[in-house]
Amino acid sequence: MRRRDLHRGPGAAAVFVMAMALAGCPDERGSVEVVEPAAETAAKSARAPISGMAVEVASVRSEAAIDADAVRAVLRDAEPAFLACLDAEGSTGVIALKLGVEEDGATLEVASQQATTYGTDDARACLERIVAALRFPTTQLRERFELLVSLEVRPRHEL
């Protein structure tokens, strides 16, 4: 890849860096080994999704004129990530969150509310981190707004 190709965008630069990491420079070829720390491996296995559980959107409220069904869809799409946060013992409960949402739909802040009855501090923090990374539909006025969201953790009922 020529040097001027790096200026074509962040994707081109990432491809160049990856190619260099895989091939190595002509004079400095060597093997690159990525080793995951044992603590991270243990944390990942401890956070494996719990089968038989569901995280459902119980309610979405806002004083802003937003599409609540679109917000529900964003949260439903995040369920696989939510499942990785659940406590291993299969406990149930509600996660009540207050979200600040930026004009572009990015989440500004996430705070647990007193109505929260689910899980350990770690499980709740994990769920909050996932919600904080989500992007929500915006208002027509493109202004900041708050969302009150309740998620229910319960056993999945198969039909």
Side-chain angles (χ1 to χ4, degrees):
M1 178 177 277
R2 292 171 288 205
R3 188 176 295 265
R4 66 183 155 93
D5 290 338
L6 292 176
H7 298 289
R8 292 188 181 181
V15 169
F16 177 75
V17 170
M18 180 60 84
M20 293 306 294
L22 292 175
C25 293
D27 296 333
E28 300 176 9
R29 292 188 193 263
S31 64
V32 176
E33 185 177 342
V34 177
V35 179
E36 199 169 319
E40 287 182 28
T41 304
K44 281 184 181 179
S45 65
R47 288 283 180 211
I50 299 183
S51 63
M53 297 300 286
V55 179
E56 292 189 352
V57 182
S59 70
V60 173
R61 292 180 289 149
S62 178
E63 291 184 12
I66 60 156
D67 183 353
D69 288 333
V71 171
R72 283 185 182 86
V74 169
L75 292 166
R76 276 193 307 268
D77 289 346
E79 184 186 24
F82 292 152
L83 291 174
C85 293
L86 301 185
D87 293 329
E89 69 274 356
S91 61
T92 61
V94 173
I95 297 99
L97 302 170
K98 181 177 182 179
L99 317 175
V101 180
E102 187 68 74
E103 295 93 351
D104 65 354
T107 306
L108 291 170
E109 61 212 359
V110 178
S112 284
Q113 301 297 287
Q114 287 184 345
T116 296
T117 61
Y118 177 75
T120 63
D121 289 340
D122 287 343
R124 288 189 300 271
C126 179
L127 291 160
E128 289 174 17
R129 280 191 303 274
I130 292 168
V131 171
L134 298 177
R135 185 169 295 270
F136 293 95
T138 61
T139 66
Q140 288 183 342
L141 299 175
R142 306 282 290 181
E143 61 190 10
R144 291 182 182 184
F145 62 94
E146 288 185 348
L147 281 173
L148 296 173
V149 173
S150 291
L151 303 172
E152 181 181 355
V153 178
R154 62 169 191 76
R156 186 176 304 278
H157 297 289
E158 302 296 328
L159 297 175

